[in-house]
Amino acid sequence: MPSVEGVGARKAALQMLDAVLRRGQTLDAAAGSERKLSLADHGLAIAIAGETLRRIPDLDDLIDSATRNRLADDSKARTVLRLALAQKIGLGTPDHAVVSTALPLVDGGPRRLVHGVLGTLLRRGLPAIDAPKLPTDVEQRWGSAWGEDVVAAARRQMVARPALDLTFADDAEAQAYASANNGTSLAPNNVRLPSSSVSDLPGFGEGRWWVQDLAASLPARLVGKAGDVLDLCAAPGGKTMQLAAAGHRVTSVDASGSRLERLRENLKRTHLEARLVEADALTWEPEQQFDAILLDAPCSATGTFRRHPEVFYRARRRIIAENAELQARLLARAADFLKPGGTLVYAVCSLEPEEGEQVILNFSHNHPAFRTAPPQPGEIPDFVTPTAEGHVRVLPGLLEAEGGLDGFFIARLVRRG
């Protein structure tokens, strides 16, 4: 249980929010710097920060309805009020605990203001906010690109607890595991379970499976027959393990030594093999060409918003444009590494067309030797329908009743011989 006062966890949550909203950090990175708390308080701080990030536009509307003069967006008073209200709405924290743990955060500051606003709003009664608004620029982008139904689905999924997907090397083992552990299998080699502690699940220590959102498993399913395969920008390695389990001879390249070390540990745990190379893909010179290349490119990661709500406040238009430029350069570089007749699979966990459809459109225009190769029956699950162009686009709302999926774009290209 958190400490009696509970203030330490709230202070940590406040610092996490500051790191995300003002310094552009991920919530995981911000949480990693808070090491002085007990395990329980650390988990509570992350939960509070996450619930706040999921509901900021609605929380701000509530705050603005109870103040005569609008508080500055980056004021400490607004952030403390957001944090306090998110606890009540998202975590069911009792009123007295909401107030008593918020006021110490503004000692020496606008304590009376925060106390007054909280008192006013708690007396009114707070709404459930079970389909929170997304930031205005995100709703405009996604509404224009995908339609209002997708925006509405994203709102609902924002506060729904994501399920846990496991990937197995062997489908028969996956089916048996699903039956034995009250899970479901939504695709070959997949088991979906209610969200839980990963290390406590049966089979973790034996390396029988690895955690991988079902949508993230789709790109490797499109690589095709076994051969020499390059996994470019490979870490943390879910796709490398898929490719190795499928019998490919895998070379995995990533610029981050620490992330490659994590991949090395995962390969050891799962008893799989791959050649790991620490290198910048833009300057790396391979000694061979490859039968297939999987490029899961760095991106805004807006498709992962269910687990990482901070992406909305990190993935501004400038960041999206910079990512798209990098993706184009990586894709052009990968093309040079591919044998004639080889397969190139491009993927991003982004819901931004600039990082998906537009990148492939530009690449195809500049590389006429490549043609799109749409998914064939049986390669990906039946619930995924390729686009008219032959690509895969996973949007909010797909499999919503079963727990949803991360947003993804995938294109498979073949180099003419």
Side-chain angles (χ1 to χ4, degrees), residues 153 156-157 160-163 184 186 192 306 395-405:
R156 294 190 299 270
Q157 291 188 349
R161 190 175 181 85
T184 57
L186 300 174
R192 174 160 287 193
R306 298 178 304 152
L395 295 170
L398 186 62
L399 287 193
E400 184 175 356
E402 292 81 11
L405 297 166

Side-chain angles (χ1 to χ4, degrees), residues 134-152 154-155 317 351-353 395-396:
L134 312 181
T136 301
D137 60 332
V138 177
E139 293 212 348
Q140 290 173 346
R141 288 202 314 266
W142 291 3
S144 176
W146 314 120
E148 294 306 316
D149 287 347
V150 168
V151 172
R155 285 182 170 186
R317 287 191 179 275
L351 286 164
E352 314 304 327
L395 295 170

Side-chain angles (χ1 to χ4, degrees), residues 68-376:
R68 181 175 300 138
N69 298 313
R70 192 178 189 281
L71 301 174
D73 287 342
D74 61 351
S75 68
K76 189 172 186 179
R78 182 179 289 279
T79 306
V80 170
L81 286 166
R82 287 170 173 170
L83 181 151
L85 295 171
Q87 292 173 69
K88 177 65 177 179
I89 295 168
L91 301 176
T93 304
D95 290 8
H96 67 87
V98 168
V99 175
S100 65
T101 56
L103 296 182
L105 303 181
V106 284
D107 276 346
R111 184 183 176 104
R112 290 183 61 188
L113 170 65
V114 168
H115 196 182
V117 171
L118 282 179
T120 297
L121 292 173
L122 291 172
R123 283 192 298 272
R124 286 182 191 170
L126 299 177
I129 314 184
D130 51 9
K133 290 185 287 189
L134 312 181
T136 301
D137 60 332
V138 177
E139 293 212 348
Q140 290 173 346
R141 288 202 314 266
W142 291 3
S144 176
W146 314 120
E148 294 306 316
D149 287 347
V150 168
V151 172
R155 285 182 170 186
R156 294 190 299 270
Q157 291 188 349
M158 184 68 143
V159 292
R161 190 175 181 85
L164 179 67
D165 284 322
L166 310 180
T167 298
F168 285 72
D170 179 72
D171 184 51
E173 186 173 8
Q175 303 304 320
Y177 192 96
S179 298
N181 293 280
N182 197 29
T184 57
S185 182
L186 300 174
N189 304 88
N190 164 265
V191 173
R192 174 160 287 193
L193 301 168
S195 184
S196 60
S197 172
V198 171
S199 59
D200 292 338
L201 291 173
F204 174 80
E206 298 86 348
R208 294 171 59 190
W209 45 261
W210 58 93
V211 176
Q212 186 179 36
D213 189 84
L214 178 54
S217 78
L218 299 179
R221 297 172 188 265
L222 293 177
V223 166
K225 62 183 180 181
D228 291 313
V229 178
L230 173 62
D231 187 4
L232 211 52
C233 307
K239 298 173 183 65
T240 287
M241 289 184 282
Q242 273 185 280
L243 295 169
H248 299 288
R249 296 178 295 276
V250 186
T251 299
S252 299
V253 176
D254 199 275
S256 170
S258 61
R259 285 164 60 86
L260 277 178
E261 185 57 34
R262 180 180 169 192
L263 171 52
R264 195 184 315 276
E265 293 169 358
N266 282 328
L267 287 169
K268 182 178 180 180
R269 183 178 65 85
T270 54
H271 314 291
L272 296 169
E273 294 184 359
R275 174 178 173 242
L276 306 187
V277 178
E278 182 179 347
D280 183 342
L282 293 174
T283 58
W284 179 59
E285 295 288 349
E287 298 175 354
Q288 66 177 98
Q289 287 188 308
F290 296 88
D291 299 306
I293 298 173
L294 173 54
L295 171 59
D296 187 0
C299 69
S300 65
T302 50
T304 67
F305 70 91
R306 298 178 304 152
R307 293 180 177 86
H308 303 286
E310 74 272 17
V311 295
F312 290 138
Y313 301 97
R314 302 180 70 239
R316 304 297 186 183
R317 287 191 179 275
R318 177 180 60 82
I319 299 298
I320 293 169
E322 290 174 356
N323 278 322
E325 181 182 355
L326 174 60
Q327 291 148 11
R329 294 170 64 200
L330 287 167
L331 197 52
R333 187 72 176 149
D336 294 335
F337 304 157
L338 192 66
K339 292 178 181 178
T343 297
L344 173 56
V345 178
Y346 171 79
V348 284
C349 56
S350 168
L351 286 164
E352 314 304 327
E354 295 90 339
E355 297 182 278
E357 288 81 354
Q358 192 60 50
V359 168
I360 289 298
L361 180 64
N362 293 341
F363 176 84
S364 298
H365 177 76
N366 295 322
H367 296 78
F370 286 78
R371 62 174 177 83
T372 297
Q376 298 302 301

